[in-house]
Amino acid sequence: MSLSSAPHWRSVSVGAIAWREWNGEFVVRNERSGSTHLLGPLTGAVLRVLLEAEASLSVAEIASHLKDPPSAASGSSLNAAIDEILTEFRRLGLAEPEAQ
């Protein structure tokens, strides 16, 4: 059990997201909003982790699930990048923090 107050994140309903990957870039359609987004490799990988997760995840847990994070993003810089991505996902309606 985690005593951390850090938020845990989850994607919106998997059924509300349609996505495809081509050469490391992801095209994502949010069926709820009708919006389509082009995501880069790290952003797409974070969304994939959230979509495949069985429970909400913290930033550190998301980082640990990434198979091949960019070499430039490691440790705290990777966590900071993931945190920024999650903030953008919230704005786009692709993910949301779970109430604690």
Side-chain angles (χ1 to χ4, degrees):
M1 181 171 170
S2 174
L3 298 177
S4 172
S5 62
H8 283 66
W9 292 81
R10 61 183 176 85
S11 69
V12 296
S13 169
V14 174
I17 304 292
W19 64 278
R20 297 288 181 267
E21 178 184 2
W22 290 280
N23 298 322
E25 291 188 327
F26 296 76
V27 176
V28 177
R29 177 162 172 83
N30 182 342
E31 298 296 337
R32 286 179 167 176
S33 68
S35 298
T36 301
H37 310 284
L38 177 61
L39 308 179
L42 179 58
T43 307
V46 169
L47 184 59
R48 179 186 294 162
V49 166
L50 290 174
L51 289 169
E52 293 175 352
E54 294 181 15
S56 60
L57 301 171
S58 69
V59 168
E61 291 168 331
I62 293 167
S64 73
H65 283 82
L66 293 174
K67 292 179 177 103
D68 293 313
S71 58
S74 63
S76 62
S77 64
L78 176 60
N79 288 355
I82 292 169
D83 193 50
E84 288 179 25
I85 289 167
L86 294 170
T87 299
E88 185 67 6
F89 282 173
R90 184 176 193 179
R91 187 185 73 75
L92 297 173
L94 296 173
E96 51 199 23
E98 188 169 82
Q100 301 263 323

